[in-house]
Amino acid sequence: RHIITILEQADDRTLVLLDELGSGTDPAAGAAIGMAILERLTNRRVITVATTHYGALKEFATRTDGVENGSMVFNVDTLMPTYRFRQGIPGASYAVEIGQQLGMPEEVLRRATTLIGEDEHQLDEIIIALDKERERLHTAREEADTLRTELDQLKQDYHEKVAAYPRKEQALMDKARAEADRLLREAQATVERTVAEIREEQASRASIKTAQETIKDQRSLLAALLSDTTPAP
């Protein structure tokens, strides 16, 4: 009755949610009714979300404009849902695979596969293979994202160290210049003290001149030292 009301009143401003469309009756008939309902809603441009286990409805979505498959990813190895939605790919039933994991007899599983039908079973196998490949790609992408993050951090650390290098170099230069300046002042004081002592002792002009030349040499030497510690422009 609710379906009838929806088919009569739904329009392009309506959101319709249908759980297990076509269930509760013969699978073939249920799938046919489900396709007819989806066709009508699609033609009216009604936004519809429908869940189903019918392979016929999955095929219908694949070949019908305006209808698209989607499914929740299921981990066959752990028999646990991943709660990740994927767009564009239908879900598999996983009935045979789950039966194998639970230890169901092989002859029962083979008979079930026969009863399901070869085409239906092959479709499930294709979907499961796609699931595994998508899961592998998802894991690889996560690993790539992690490596990219680590690389970005390394690049940031490198640039910070490069930026800090001139500051360290300047600090070393300043320290060297201060040390050279100190040596210059000490040398000048020592030589001038020597000159004063010579004068006090009334030394000859030659002795004083020699002392003055010593001062000049010391100044030139230390000035050169200061020049060496000055960075080039």
Side-chain angles (χ1 to χ4, degrees):
R1 182 173 300 177
H2 293 300
I3 292 291
I4 295 173
T5 302
I6 290 172
L7 293 175
E8 290 175 349
Q9 299 181 6
D11 57 23
D12 59 356
R13 296 178 299 174
T14 307
L15 171 63
V16 175
L17 305 178
L18 301 173
D19 185 33
E20 293 298 338
L21 181 61
S23 62
T25 184
D26 174 76
I33 292 174
M35 283 186 277
I37 292 172
L38 291 176
E39 279 183 350
R40 184 180 181 93
L41 294 174
T42 301
N43 291 336
R44 289 190 174 186
R45 305 180 67 83
V46 178
I47 299 175
T48 305
V49 179
T51 63
T52 183
H53 283 86
Y54 292 156
L57 286 178
K58 300 172 188 177
E59 294 177 6
F60 167 80
T62 301
R63 55 183 167 79
T64 304
D65 292 338
V67 183
E68 186 172 16
N69 276 303
S71 58
M72 303 300 293
V73 179
F74 185 81
N75 190 320
V76 183
D77 297 327
T78 62
L79 300 181
M80 295 292 292
T82 63
Y83 303 102
R84 292 205 314 270
F85 174 77
R86 61 183 176 187
Q87 185 174 346
I89 297 180
S93 66
Y94 297 103
V96 175
E97 288 71 25
I98 292 175
Q100 288 175 333
Q101 291 280 358
L102 296 177
M104 189 172 291
E106 285 295 326
E107 60 271 18
V108 174
L109 295 175
R110 285 195 297 269
R111 178 58 178 162
T113 300
T114 302
L115 294 174
I116 290 172
E118 190 63 26
D119 291 342
E120 186 77 15
H121 183 63
Q122 286 181 354
L123 176 61
D124 271 1
E125 286 186 336
I126 292 172
I127 293 173
I128 291 170
L130 287 173
D131 277 346
K132 292 181 178 180
E133 181 64 15
R134 286 172 66 92
E135 186 67 22
R136 186 187 67 80
L137 292 175
H138 177 75
T139 301
R141 185 172 61 185
E142 286 184 338
E143 292 175 352
D145 289 341
T146 299
L147 289 175
R148 187 179 297 110
T149 300
E150 293 175 354
L151 177 60
D152 290 342
Q153 185 61 49
L154 287 174
K155 289 171 63 177
Q156 181 179 345
D157 293 344
Y158 170 77
H159 288 306
E160 289 177 354
K161 289 180 179 179
V162 169
Y165 179 77
R167 294 194 296 270
K168 292 181 179 179
E169 184 181 31
Q170 185 62 45
L172 291 174
M173 296 292 292
D174 291 343
K175 182 178 180 181
R177 293 185 63 186
E179 180 66 15
D181 187 57
R182 183 185 65 80
L183 292 174
L184 177 61
R185 290 195 302 272
E186 289 181 357
Q188 181 175 346
T190 299
V191 175
E192 289 181 351
R193 186 169 56 252
T194 301
V195 172
E197 291 174 355
I198 292 174
R199 284 177 176 172
E200 289 177 0
E201 295 175 0
Q202 297 181 351
S204 65
R205 287 186 177 181
S207 299
I208 294 174
K209 184 176 180 180
T210 299
Q212 288 175 336
E213 289 177 351
T214 301
I215 292 175
K216 183 178 179 181
D217 291 341
Q218 289 291 332
R219 284 178 173 171
S220 298
L221 178 63
L222 293 174
L225 177 60
L226 285 174
S227 177
D228 289 341
T229 61
T230 302

